[in-house]
């Protein structure tokens, strides 16, 4: 029987980062036999550790959420992710609007994840290493690596979480999360495409401005 928590995580693909991190985790040392040579597993490990530390670094909610946003953005190429999400519609953006779109994407998508993550993390405590494990890592295409992990939630439910990283000249960066087969990148792209279809690219910018003004919700 599918629990309410599992159904929530499976359906809310736009909040995959928050759902993942709400399960209180920190990465154990990955098994070297299972991982490709490279820094991808270390990136995932570092993000887990940074986010968990963020909860205790500031008492005020807005400050904690900013720390969480910073931790996510430090391991994610937000510029690349924002363009991948927009897909072919990126070409529809006027050059003068692209910087605004990137900033709005960061505030709405990454900021929204951080806000929900903060709420969920507030309910959790305990030994984090019991809730997260990297299972394997392997190449996907010519430039990407998929780091597979398992998250065990507070209710004992086990979820598969895959992290897709792209190898750039500056190093590997996270470009997608797949929770129980649901991709953040694909889901967010579908949401944005639906908005563009209704109101063109101008409508998307208006929607993002409105959501940014409402705190990213």
């Amino acid at each position: 029987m599918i629990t309410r928590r599992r159904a929530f995580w499976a359906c809310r693909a736009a909040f995959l980062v928050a759902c993942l991190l709400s399960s209180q985790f920190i990465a154990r040392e990955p098994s070297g036999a299972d991982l490709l040579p490279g820094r991808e597993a270390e990136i995932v490990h570092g993000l887990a550790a940074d986010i968990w530390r963020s909860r205790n670094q500031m008492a005020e909610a807005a400050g904690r959420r900013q720390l969480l946003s910073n931790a996510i953005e430090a391991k994610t190429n937000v510029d690349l992710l924002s363009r991948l999400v927009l897909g072919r519609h990126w070409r529809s953006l006027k050059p003068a609007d692209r910087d605004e779109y990137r900033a709005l994407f960061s505030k709405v998508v990454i900021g929204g994840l951080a806000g929900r993550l903060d709420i969920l993390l507030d309910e959790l405590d305990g030994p984090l290493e019991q809730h997260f494990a990297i299972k394997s890592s392997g190449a996907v295409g010519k430039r990407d690596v998929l780091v597979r992990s398992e998250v065990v939630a507070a209710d004992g439910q086990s979820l598969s979480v895959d992290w897709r990283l792209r190898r750039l000249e500056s190093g590997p960066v996270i470009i997608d999360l797949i929770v129980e087969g649901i991709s953040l990148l694909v889901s967010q792209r579908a949401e944005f495409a639906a908005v563009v279809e209704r109101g063109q690219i101008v409508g998307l910018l208006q929607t993002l401005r409105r959501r940014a003004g409402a705190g990213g919700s």
Side-chain angles (χ1 to χ4, degrees):
M1 180 180 230
I2 298 178
T3 67
R4 183 176 301 175
R5 181 184 292 271
R6 180 181 288 274
F8 172 79
W9 285 16
C11 293
R12 300 292 289 177
F15 305 123
L16 294 180
V17 178
C19 295
L20 169 64
L21 299 175
S22 72
S23 299
Q24 54 180 341
F25 68 93
I26 191 168
R28 293 196 292 269
E29 288 300 320
S31 170
D34 294 334
L35 302 181
L36 277 180
R39 296 184 53 229
E40 289 77 20
E42 294 177 12
I43 297 294
V44 174
H45 177 284
L47 177 59
D50 289 347
I51 286 178
W52 186 253
R53 281 194 295 268
S54 296
R55 67 176 294 181
N56 297 320
Q57 289 179 351
M58 188 167 295
E60 191 265 323
R64 288 196 311 271
R65 293 177 185 185
Q66 187 59 55
L67 285 173
L68 291 170
S69 292
N70 293 343
I72 294 169
E73 291 197 20
K75 301 295 191 303
T76 306
N77 189 317
V78 177
D79 179 65
L80 176 59
L81 180 58
S82 67
R83 285 187 281 124
L84 290 173
V85 165
L86 200 55
R88 62 184 176 84
H89 299 299
W90 171 258
R91 295 190 297 273
S92 302
L93 271 177
K94 297 177 181 178
D97 292 331
R98 290 180 178 179
D99 287 343
E100 182 188 15
Y101 166 71
R102 292 187 190 100
L104 290 170
F105 182 93
S106 177
K107 185 168 185 178
V108 172
V109 178
I110 305 300
L113 293 175
R116 287 162 178 79
L117 170 61
D118 182 57
I119 293 171
L120 293 168
L121 283 176
D122 188 54
E123 303 172 357
L124 304 173
D125 55 17
L128 307 183
E129 66 276 5
Q130 296 181 8
H131 296 274
F132 179 81
I134 294 176
K135 309 301 289 185
S136 65
S137 179
V140 180
K142 295 181 179 180
R143 295 186 293 167
D144 295 354
V145 171
L146 199 66
V147 177
R148 298 185 181 277
S149 66
E150 181 180 71
V151 173
V152 180
D155 62 2
Q157 290 292 315
S158 178
L159 297 170
S160 65
V161 180
D162 298 339
W163 311 64
R164 187 168 185 141
L165 293 90
R166 179 154 297 175
R167 287 175 169 170
L168 305 178
E169 290 185 2
S170 57
V173 291
I174 297 168
I175 62 167
D176 196 13
L177 285 177
I178 305 99
V179 175
E180 292 287 288
I182 299 176
S183 162
L184 169 65
L185 175 59
V186 173
S187 300
Q188 195 69 67
R189 179 184 290 164
E191 179 185 339
F192 279 20
V195 176
V196 172
E197 184 176 349
R198 293 194 301 268
Q200 300 185 337
I201 199 70
V202 173
L204 175 63
L205 289 173
Q206 290 173 342
T207 298
L208 291 174
R209 291 185 195 113
R210 183 171 62 252
R211 291 176 62 182
S217 59

